[in-house]
mmCIF file of all heavy atoms in Angstrom:
data_model
loop_
_atom_site.group_PDB
_atom_site.id
_atom_site.type_symbol
_atom_site.label_atom_id
_atom_site.label_comp_id
_atom_site.label_asym_id
_atom_site.label_seq_id
_atom_site.Cartn_x
_atom_site.Cartn_y
_atom_site.Cartn_z
ATOM 1 N N GLY A 290 -1.302 10.537 -9.854
ATOM 2 C CA GLY A 290 -2.432 10.165 -9.004
ATOM 3 C C GLY A 290 -1.993 9.132 -7.986
ATOM 4 O O GLY A 290 -0.963 9.283 -7.328
ATOM 5 N N THR A 291 -2.755 8.062 -7.888
ATOM 6 C CA THR A 291 -2.403 6.989 -6.947
ATOM 7 C C THR A 291 -1.704 5.824 -7.635
ATOM 8 O O THR A 291 -1.493 4.788 -7.024
ATOM 9 C CB THR A 291 -3.655 6.480 -6.217
ATOM 10 O OG1 THR A 291 -4.616 6.013 -7.178
ATOM 11 C CG2 THR A 291 -4.270 7.588 -5.375
ATOM 12 N N GLY A 292 -1.373 6.000 -8.924
ATOM 13 C CA GLY A 292 -0.533 4.996 -9.568
ATOM 14 C C GLY A 292 -1.177 4.129 -10.626
ATOM 15 O O GLY A 292 -0.749 2.996 -10.841
ATOM 16 N N GLN A 293 -2.184 4.646 -11.353
ATOM 17 C CA GLN A 293 -2.830 3.833 -12.378
ATOM 18 C C GLN A 293 -1.841 3.435 -13.487
ATOM 19 O O GLN A 293 -1.835 2.294 -13.941
ATOM 20 C CB GLN A 293 -4.027 4.574 -12.990
ATOM 21 C CG GLN A 293 -5.254 4.628 -12.115
ATOM 22 C CD GLN A 293 -5.081 5.538 -10.910
ATOM 23 O OE1 GLN A 293 -4.435 6.577 -11.013
ATOM 24 N NE2 GLN A 293 -5.641 5.164 -9.787
ATOM 25 N N LEU A 294 -1.003 4.387 -13.925
ATOM 26 C CA LEU A 294 0.023 4.049 -14.920
ATOM 27 C C LEU A 294 1.278 3.506 -14.257
ATOM 28 O O LEU A 294 1.973 2.651 -14.832
ATOM 29 C CB LEU A 294 0.366 5.286 -15.766
ATOM 30 C CG LEU A 294 1.366 5.044 -16.901
ATOM 31 C CD1 LEU A 294 0.837 4.025 -17.899
ATOM 32 C CD2 LEU A 294 1.708 6.361 -17.600
ATOM 33 N N THR A 295 1.558 3.955 -13.061
ATOM 34 C CA THR A 295 2.732 3.478 -12.322
ATOM 35 C C THR A 295 2.743 1.957 -12.222
ATOM 36 O O THR A 295 3.805 1.326 -12.272
ATOM 37 C CB THR A 295 2.752 4.079 -10.902
ATOM 38 O OG1 THR A 295 2.486 5.479 -10.965
ATOM 39 C CG2 THR A 295 4.090 3.842 -10.229
ATOM 40 N N ALA A 296 1.564 1.377 -12.098
ATOM 41 C CA ALA A 296 1.453 -0.067 -11.998
ATOM 42 C C ALA A 296 2.064 -0.775 -13.200
ATOM 43 O O ALA A 296 2.500 -1.928 -13.099
ATOM 44 C CB ALA A 296 -0.021 -0.472 -11.860
ATOM 45 N N HIS A 297 2.131 -0.073 -14.347
ATOM 46 C CA HIS A 297 2.675 -0.666 -15.574
ATOM 47 C C HIS A 297 4.126 -0.264 -15.816
ATOM 48 O O HIS A 297 4.726 -0.697 -16.802
ATOM 49 C CB HIS A 297 1.828 -0.235 -16.768
ATOM 50 C CG HIS A 297 0.384 -0.626 -16.645
ATOM 51 N ND1 HIS A 297 -0.079 -1.879 -16.978
ATOM 52 C CD2 HIS A 297 -0.694 0.084 -16.195
ATOM 53 C CE1 HIS A 297 -1.392 -1.927 -16.762
ATOM 54 N NE2 HIS A 297 -1.784 -0.756 -16.285
ATOM 55 N N LEU A 298 4.676 0.571 -14.951
ATOM 56 C CA LEU A 298 6.052 1.048 -15.107
ATOM 57 C C LEU A 298 7.006 0.407 -14.111
ATOM 58 O O LEU A 298 8.169 0.792 -14.028
ATOM 59 C CB LEU A 298 6.100 2.573 -14.950
ATOM 60 C CG LEU A 298 5.478 3.385 -16.092
ATOM 61 C CD1 LEU A 298 5.279 4.838 -15.659
ATOM 62 C CD2 LEU A 298 6.366 3.320 -17.331
ATOM 63 N N GLY A 299 6.524 -0.566 -13.362
ATOM 64 C CA GLY A 299 7.336 -1.141 -12.295
ATOM 65 C C GLY A 299 8.617 -1.794 -12.753
ATOM 66 O O GLY A 299 9.582 -1.889 -11.992
ATOM 67 N N ASP A 300 8.657 -2.249 -14.013
ATOM 68 C CA ASP A 300 9.866 -2.896 -14.509
ATOM 69 C C ASP A 300 10.663 -1.994 -15.443
ATOM 70 O O ASP A 300 11.453 -2.478 -16.250
ATOM 71 C CB ASP A 300 9.511 -4.209 -15.210
ATOM 72 C CG ASP A 300 8.576 -4.004 -16.397
ATOM 73 O OD1 ASP A 300 8.074 -2.861 -16.563
ATOM 74 O OD2 ASP A 300 8.354 -4.965 -17.158
ATOM 75 N N TRP A 301 10.442 -0.672 -15.337
ATOM 76 C CA TRP A 301 11.225 0.255 -16.171
ATOM 77 C C TRP A 301 12.710 0.019 -15.905
ATOM 78 O O TRP A 301 13.168 0.040 -14.756
ATOM 79 C CB TRP A 301 10.840 1.696 -15.845
ATOM 80 C CG TRP A 301 11.603 2.704 -16.661
ATOM 81 C CD1 TRP A 301 12.626 3.498 -16.244
ATOM 82 C CD2 TRP A 301 11.399 3.010 -18.042
ATOM 83 N NE1 TRP A 301 13.075 4.282 -17.265
ATOM 84 C CE2 TRP A 301 12.339 4.002 -18.397
ATOM 85 C CE3 TRP A 301 10.517 2.541 -19.015
ATOM 86 C CZ2 TRP A 301 12.411 4.544 -19.688
ATOM 87 C CZ3 TRP A 301 10.597 3.079 -20.292
ATOM 88 C CH2 TRP A 301 11.526 4.068 -20.616
ATOM 89 N N PRO A 302 13.523 -0.204 -16.953
ATOM 90 C CA PRO A 302 14.919 -0.620 -16.740
ATOM 91 C C PRO A 302 15.864 0.494 -16.339
ATOM 92 O O PRO A 302 17.000 0.231 -15.950
ATOM 93 C CB PRO A 302 15.303 -1.193 -18.111
ATOM 94 C CG PRO A 302 14.433 -0.453 -19.076
ATOM 95 C CD PRO A 302 13.134 -0.239 -18.366
ATOM 96 N N GLY A 303 15.422 1.744 -16.414
ATOM 97 C CA GLY A 303 16.291 2.841 -16.009
ATOM 98 C C GLY A 303 15.797 3.499 -14.738
ATOM 99 O O GLY A 303 15.118 2.887 -13.915
ATOM 100 N N THR A 304 16.148 4.785 -14.566
ATOM 101 C CA THR A 304 15.698 5.566 -13.412
ATOM 102 C C THR A 304 14.278 6.063 -13.656
ATOM 103 O O THR A 304 13.969 6.581 -14.730
ATOM 104 C CB THR A 304 16.626 6.772 -13.197
ATOM 105 O OG1 THR A 304 17.960 6.305 -12.963
ATOM 106 C CG2 THR A 304 16.167 7.605 -12.008
ATOM 107 N N LEU A 305 13.408 5.915 -12.658
ATOM 108 C CA LEU A 305 12.022 6.365 -12.790
ATOM 109 C C LEU A 305 11.623 7.156 -11.554
ATOM 110 O O LEU A 305 11.741 6.668 -10.439
ATOM 111 C CB LEU A 305 11.074 5.177 -12.961
ATOM 112 C CG LEU A 305 9.578 5.508 -12.945
ATOM 113 C CD1 LEU A 305 9.194 6.320 -14.176
ATOM 114 C CD2 LEU A 305 8.741 4.232 -12.863
ATOM 115 N N ARG A 306 11.155 8.375 -11.770
ATOM 116 C CA ARG A 306 10.581 9.182 -10.693
ATOM 117 C C ARG A 306 9.087 9.339 -10.964
ATOM 118 O O ARG A 306 8.673 9.567 -12.104
ATOM 119 C CB ARG A 306 11.240 10.556 -10.616
ATOM 120 C CG ARG A 306 10.605 11.468 -9.567
ATOM 121 C CD ARG A 306 11.476 12.661 -9.269
ATOM 122 N NE ARG A 306 12.704 12.239 -8.601
ATOM 123 C CZ ARG A 306 13.680 13.073 -8.239
ATOM 124 N NH1 ARG A 306 13.583 14.361 -8.499
ATOM 125 N NH2 ARG A 306 14.753 12.617 -7.633
ATOM 126 N N VAL A 307 8.282 9.234 -9.920
ATOM 127 C CA VAL A 307 6.827 9.314 -10.033
ATOM 128 C C VAL A 307 6.354 10.537 -9.250
ATOM 129 O O VAL A 307 6.682 10.682 -8.065
ATOM 130 C CB VAL A 307 6.158 8.030 -9.491
ATOM 131 C CG1 VAL A 307 4.658 8.094 -9.699
ATOM 132 C CG2 VAL A 307 6.745 6.799 -10.175
ATOM 133 N N THR A 308 5.579 11.411 -9.900
ATOM 134 C CA THR A 308 5.226 12.684 -9.278
ATOM 135 C C THR A 308 3.734 12.975 -9.373
ATOM 136 O O THR A 308 3.034 12.509 -10.270
ATOM 137 C CB THR A 308 5.983 13.851 -9.947
ATOM 138 O OG1 THR A 308 5.464 14.070 -11.265
ATOM 139 C CG2 THR A 308 7.472 13.556 -10.034
ATOM 140 N N ASP A 309 3.259 13.783 -8.428
ATOM 141 C CA ASP A 309 1.918 14.345 -8.474
ATOM 142 C C ASP A 309 1.932 15.618 -7.645
ATOM 143 O O ASP A 309 2.708 15.733 -6.683
ATOM 144 C CB ASP A 309 0.878 13.361 -7.933
ATOM 145 C CG ASP A 309 -0.542 13.757 -8.340
ATOM 146 O OD1 ASP A 309 -1.148 14.600 -7.655
ATOM 147 O OD2 ASP A 309 -1.026 13.242 -9.360
ATOM 148 N N VAL A 310 1.075 16.562 -7.996
ATOM 149 C CA VAL A 310 1.032 17.824 -7.271
ATOM 150 C C VAL A 310 0.306 17.685 -5.936
ATOM 151 O O VAL A 310 0.470 18.511 -5.031
ATOM 152 C CB VAL A 310 0.364 18.910 -8.148
ATOM 153 C CG1 VAL A 310 -1.123 18.652 -8.297
ATOM 154 C CG2 VAL A 310 0.645 20.302 -7.607
ATOM 155 N N SER A 311 -0.513 16.638 -5.775
ATOM 156 C CA SER A 311 -1.288 16.442 -4.551
ATOM 157 C C SER A 311 -0.508 15.626 -3.527
ATOM 158 O O SER A 311 -0.185 14.458 -3.776
ATOM 159 C CB SER A 311 -2.597 15.723 -4.875
ATOM 160 O OG SER A 311 -3.176 15.168 -3.720
ATOM 161 N N PRO A 312 -0.201 16.182 -2.361
ATOM 162 C CA PRO A 312 0.517 15.413 -1.333
ATOM 163 C C PRO A 312 -0.217 14.146 -0.908
ATOM 164 O O PRO A 312 0.409 13.117 -0.658
ATOM 165 C CB PRO A 312 0.644 16.408 -0.174
ATOM 166 C CG PRO A 312 0.576 17.752 -0.815
ATOM 167 C CD PRO A 312 -0.382 17.593 -1.955
ATOM 168 N N GLU A 313 -1.538 14.219 -0.824
ATOM 169 C CA GLU A 313 -2.295 13.041 -0.399
ATOM 170 C C GLU A 313 -2.291 11.955 -1.473
ATOM 171 O O GLU A 313 -2.257 10.760 -1.151
ATOM 172 C CB GLU A 313 -3.732 13.438 -0.044
ATOM 173 C CG GLU A 313 -3.842 14.301 1.194
ATOM 174 C CD GLU A 313 -3.302 13.603 2.428
ATOM 175 O OE1 GLU A 313 -3.474 12.383 2.548
ATOM 176 O OE2 GLU A 313 -2.698 14.287 3.276
ATOM 177 N N MET A 314 -2.321 12.351 -2.736
ATOM 178 C CA MET A 314 -2.206 11.364 -3.814
ATOM 179 C C MET A 314 -0.845 10.677 -3.760
ATOM 180 O O MET A 314 -0.737 9.455 -3.920
ATOM 181 C CB MET A 314 -2.411 12.030 -5.175
ATOM 182 C CG MET A 314 -3.837 12.436 -5.468
ATOM 183 S SD MET A 314 -4.892 11.028 -5.886
ATOM 184 C CE MET A 314 -6.380 11.897 -6.416
ATOM 185 N N VAL A 315 0.197 11.460 -3.530
ATOM 186 C CA VAL A 315 1.541 10.887 -3.436
ATOM 187 C C VAL A 315 1.634 9.929 -2.253
ATOM 188 O O VAL A 315 2.210 8.839 -2.355
ATOM 189 C CB VAL A 315 2.600 12.005 -3.331
ATOM 190 C CG1 VAL A 315 3.962 11.427 -2.940
ATOM 191 C CG2 VAL A 315 2.708 12.740 -4.664
ATOM 192 N N ALA A 316 1.055 10.315 -1.125
ATOM 193 C CA ALA A 316 1.085 9.439 0.052
ATOM 194 C C ALA A 316 0.377 8.119 -0.232
ATOM 195 O O ALA A 316 0.859 7.042 0.140
ATOM 196 C CB ALA A 316 0.452 10.148 1.241
ATOM 197 N N GLU A 317 -0.768 8.195 -0.913
ATOM 198 C CA GLU A 317 -1.500 6.976 -1.253
ATOM 199 C C GLU A 317 -0.732 6.157 -2.285
ATOM 200 O O GLU A 317 -0.693 4.924 -2.227
ATOM 201 C CB GLU A 317 -2.895 7.338 -1.775
ATOM 202 C CG GLU A 317 -3.806 6.154 -2.030
ATOM 203 C CD GLU A 317 -4.181 5.378 -0.784
ATOM 204 O OE1 GLU A 317 -3.971 5.896 0.336
ATOM 205 O OE2 GLU A 317 -4.687 4.246 -0.933
ATOM 206 N N GLY A 318 -0.102 6.841 -3.234
ATOM 207 C CA GLY A 318 0.708 6.138 -4.225
ATOM 208 C C GLY A 318 1.886 5.418 -3.596
ATOM 209 O O GLY A 318 2.205 4.277 -3.962
ATOM 210 N N LYS A 319 2.525 6.074 -2.644
ATOM 211 C CA LYS A 319 3.633 5.431 -1.932
ATOM 212 C C LYS A 319 3.166 4.182 -1.202
ATOM 213 O O LYS A 319 3.875 3.177 -1.142
ATOM 214 C CB LYS A 319 4.245 6.412 -0.921
ATOM 215 C CG LYS A 319 5.175 7.449 -1.510
ATOM 216 C CD LYS A 319 5.758 8.301 -0.395
ATOM 217 C CE LYS A 319 6.733 9.322 -0.928
ATOM 218 N NZ LYS A 319 7.300 10.162 0.163
ATOM 219 N N ARG A 320 1.976 4.253 -0.643
ATOM 220 C CA ARG A 320 1.453 3.088 0.070
ATOM 221 C C ARG A 320 1.235 1.925 -0.884
ATOM 222 O O ARG A 320 1.509 0.769 -0.542
ATOM 223 C CB ARG A 320 0.138 3.462 0.759
ATOM 224 C CG ARG A 320 -0.420 2.367 1.656
ATOM 225 C CD ARG A 320 -1.826 2.699 2.138
ATOM 226 N NE ARG A 320 -2.785 2.705 1.049
ATOM 227 C CZ ARG A 320 -3.308 1.588 0.517
ATOM 228 N NH1 ARG A 320 -2.951 0.391 0.976
ATOM 229 N NH2 ARG A 320 -4.176 1.667 -0.465
ATOM 230 N N ARG A 321 0.740 2.232 -2.084
ATOM 231 C CA ARG A 321 0.436 1.187 -3.050
ATOM 232 C C ARG A 321 1.684 0.675 -3.763
ATOM 233 O O ARG A 321 1.784 -0.512 -4.086
ATOM 234 C CB ARG A 321 -0.574 1.702 -4.080
ATOM 235 C CG ARG A 321 -1.915 2.104 -3.481
ATOM 236 C CD ARG A 321 -2.911 2.506 -4.563
ATOM 237 N NE ARG A 321 -3.221 1.353 -5.413
ATOM 238 C CZ ARG A 321 -3.113 1.367 -6.741
ATOM 239 N NH1 ARG A 321 -2.692 2.448 -7.367
ATOM 240 N NH2 ARG A 321 -3.421 0.292 -7.438
ATOM 241 N N PHE A 322 2.631 1.568 -4.042
ATOM 242 C CA PHE A 322 3.838 1.192 -4.784
ATOM 243 C C PHE A 322 5.064 1.743 -4.051
ATOM 244 O O PHE A 322 5.686 2.718 -4.478
ATOM 245 C CB PHE A 322 3.787 1.732 -6.215
ATOM 246 C CG PHE A 322 2.596 1.250 -6.997
ATOM 247 C CD1 PHE A 322 1.502 2.090 -7.185
ATOM 248 C CD2 PHE A 322 2.549 -0.033 -7.516
ATOM 249 C CE1 PHE A 322 0.390 1.658 -7.898
ATOM 250 C CE2 PHE A 322 1.443 -0.475 -8.229
ATOM 251 C CZ PHE A 322 0.370 0.363 -8.412
ATOM 252 N N PRO A 323 5.427 1.138 -2.923
ATOM 253 C CA PRO A 323 6.483 1.694 -2.070
ATOM 254 C C PRO A 323 7.863 1.702 -2.712
ATOM 255 O O PRO A 323 8.740 2.448 -2.261
ATOM 256 C CB PRO A 323 6.439 0.781 -0.833
ATOM 257 C CG PRO A 323 5.817 -0.492 -1.309
ATOM 258 C CD PRO A 323 4.826 -0.089 -2.353
ATOM 259 N N ARG A 324 8.093 0.903 -3.722
ATOM 260 C CA ARG A 324 9.417 0.860 -4.335
ATOM 261 C C ARG A 324 9.675 2.030 -5.280
ATOM 262 O O ARG A 324 10.821 2.312 -5.621
ATOM 263 C CB ARG A 324 9.600 -0.454 -5.101
ATOM 264 C CG ARG A 324 9.633 -1.692 -4.208
ATOM 265 C CD ARG A 324 9.931 -2.936 -5.024
ATOM 266 N NE ARG A 324 9.973 -4.134 -4.194
ATOM 267 C CZ ARG A 324 10.236 -5.349 -4.650
ATOM 268 N NH1 ARG A 324 10.467 -5.524 -5.945
ATOM 269 N NH2 ARG A 324 10.250 -6.384 -3.833
ATOM 270 N N ALA A 325 8.627 2.704 -5.710
ATOM 271 C CA ALA A 325 8.789 3.814 -6.646
ATOM 272 C C ALA A 325 9.332 5.049 -5.930
ATOM 273 O O ALA A 325 9.124 5.239 -4.728
ATOM 274 C CB ALA A 325 7.450 4.143 -7.314
ATOM 275 N N ASP A 326 10.022 5.896 -6.675
ATOM 276 C CA ASP A 326 10.574 7.144 -6.157
ATOM 277 C C ASP A 326 9.517 8.232 -6.305
ATOM 278 O O ASP A 326 9.458 8.933 -7.308
ATOM 279 C CB ASP A 326 11.842 7.510 -6.932
ATOM 280 C CG ASP A 326 12.425 8.847 -6.493
ATOM 281 O OD1 ASP A 326 12.101 9.310 -5.376
ATOM 282 O OD2 ASP A 326 13.201 9.434 -7.280
ATOM 283 N N TRP A 327 8.653 8.364 -5.289
ATOM 284 C CA TRP A 327 7.541 9.320 -5.333
ATOM 285 C C TRP A 327 7.990 10.687 -4.851
ATOM 286 O O TRP A 327 8.713 10.801 -3.849
ATOM 287 C CB TRP A 327 6.392 8.830 -4.461
ATOM 288 C CG TRP A 327 5.631 7.689 -5.042
ATOM 289 C CD1 TRP A 327 5.934 6.362 -4.946
ATOM 290 C CD2 TRP A 327 4.435 7.768 -5.813
ATOM 291 N NE1 TRP A 327 5.007 5.606 -5.611
ATOM 292 C CE2 TRP A 327 4.064 6.439 -6.151
ATOM 293 C CE3 TRP A 327 3.627 8.822 -6.255
ATOM 294 C CZ2 TRP A 327 2.934 6.152 -6.906
ATOM 295 C CZ3 TRP A 327 2.505 8.533 -7.001
ATOM 296 C CH2 TRP A 327 2.163 7.212 -7.323
ATOM 297 N N GLN A 328 7.524 11.742 -5.542
ATOM 298 C CA GLN A 328 7.822 13.113 -5.154
ATOM 299 C C GLN A 328 6.590 13.984 -5.387
ATOM 300 O O GLN A 328 5.898 13.832 -6.398
ATOM 301 C CB GLN A 328 8.986 13.670 -5.994
ATOM 302 C CG GLN A 328 10.299 12.932 -5.834
ATOM 303 C CD GLN A 328 10.968 13.239 -4.507
ATOM 304 O OE1 GLN A 328 10.769 14.325 -3.944
ATOM 305 N NE2 GLN A 328 11.770 12.314 -4.021
ATOM 306 N N VAL A 329 6.325 14.903 -4.445
ATOM 307 C CA VAL A 329 5.290 15.912 -4.668
ATOM 308 C C VAL A 329 5.887 16.966 -5.596
ATOM 309 O O VAL A 329 6.885 17.608 -5.259
ATOM 310 C CB VAL A 329 4.845 16.560 -3.342
ATOM 311 C CG1 VAL A 329 3.826 17.672 -3.615
ATOM 312 C CG2 VAL A 329 4.258 15.518 -2.406
ATOM 313 N N MET A 330 5.292 17.112 -6.768
ATOM 314 C CA MET A 330 5.882 18.014 -7.756
ATOM 315 C C MET A 330 4.818 18.441 -8.763
ATOM 316 O O MET A 330 4.022 17.623 -9.223
ATOM 317 C CB MET A 330 7.035 17.319 -8.483
ATOM 318 C CG MET A 330 7.854 18.213 -9.386
ATOM 319 S SD MET A 330 9.254 17.310 -10.144
ATOM 320 C CE MET A 330 10.212 16.903 -8.664
ATOM 321 N N HIS A 331 4.801 19.712 -9.099
ATOM 322 C CA HIS A 331 3.906 20.222 -10.132
ATOM 323 C C HIS A 331 4.446 19.819 -11.503
ATOM 324 O O HIS A 331 5.662 19.695 -11.694
ATOM 325 C CB HIS A 331 3.800 21.742 -10.041
ATOM 326 C CG HIS A 331 2.716 22.330 -10.884
ATOM 327 N ND1 HIS A 331 2.878 22.586 -12.228
ATOM 328 C CD2 HIS A 331 1.445 22.719 -10.579
ATOM 329 C CE1 HIS A 331 1.761 23.092 -12.719
ATOM 330 N NE2 HIS A 331 0.873 23.177 -11.736
ATOM 331 N N ALA A 332 3.539 19.653 -12.450
ATOM 332 C CA ALA A 332 3.931 19.235 -13.795
ATOM 333 C C ALA A 332 4.874 20.221 -14.467
ATOM 334 O O ALA A 332 5.637 19.843 -15.368
ATOM 335 C CB ALA A 332 2.685 19.057 -14.667
ATOM 336 N N ALA A 333 4.869 21.485 -14.033
ATOM 337 C CA ALA A 333 5.743 22.495 -14.616
ATOM 338 C C ALA A 333 7.072 22.615 -13.892
ATOM 339 O O ALA A 333 7.879 23.493 -14.227
ATOM 340 C CB ALA A 333 5.041 23.851 -14.626
ATOM 341 N N ASP A 334 7.327 21.746 -12.914
ATOM 342 C CA ASP A 334 8.562 21.844 -12.134
ATOM 343 C C ASP A 334 9.498 20.658 -12.337
ATOM 344 O O ASP A 334 10.460 20.493 -11.584
ATOM 345 C CB ASP A 334 8.231 21.957 -10.638
ATOM 346 C CG ASP A 334 7.513 23.250 -10.314
ATOM 347 O OD1 ASP A 334 7.703 24.240 -11.049
ATOM 348 O OD2 ASP A 334 6.743 23.269 -9.334
ATOM 349 N N ILE A 335 9.234 19.828 -13.335
ATOM 350 C CA ILE A 335 10.040 18.611 -13.486
ATOM 351 C C ILE A 335 11.417 18.864 -14.072
ATOM 352 O O ILE A 335 12.285 17.996 -14.027
ATOM 353 C CB ILE A 335 9.311 17.566 -14.356
ATOM 354 C CG1 ILE A 335 9.093 18.094 -15.775
ATOM 355 C CG2 ILE A 335 7.984 17.171 -13.716
ATOM 356 C CD1 ILE A 335 8.566 17.040 -16.726
ATOM 357 N N ASP A 336 11.644 20.080 -14.619
ATOM 358 C CA ASP A 336 12.936 20.345 -15.242
ATOM 359 C C ASP A 336 14.070 20.375 -14.234
ATOM 360 O O ASP A 336 15.224 20.091 -14.570
ATOM 361 C CB ASP A 336 12.904 21.645 -16.036
ATOM 362 C CG ASP A 336 12.476 22.836 -15.191
ATOM 363 O OD1 ASP A 336 11.827 22.617 -14.141
ATOM 364 O OD2 ASP A 336 12.778 23.977 -15.570
#
C-alpha cells in the first residue's frame, strides 16, 4: 500500500524490497518513504 508496515521496517538490517500491484500506491509510498526500494509488482511475481 502506502507503507503502513514499511514504516516499521525502516531499520531492517538486510536487503528490503517493498512492492505493491498498484502504481499509484507505489508512487505514494515512494513519496512517504523515499529510501525504500519500491517496485510495482504483483504478489505472485516476487519469485
Side-chain angles (χ1 to χ4, degrees):
T291 58
Q293 285 70 37
L294 184 61
T295 314
H297 302 277
L298 289 166
D300 60 351
W301 180 255
T304 300
L305 173 68
R306 176 165 293 179
V307 184
T308 71
D309 197 276
V310 71
S311 162
E313 292 300 324
M314 288 285 189
V315 168
E317 186 65 15
K319 282 183 178 180
R320 186 189 67 79
R321 298 184 65 233
F322 302 102
R324 293 185 180 181
D326 177 20
W327 286 85
Q328 298 286 332
V329 176
M330 189 177 296
H331 191 278
D334 294 333
I335 63 172
D336 56 339

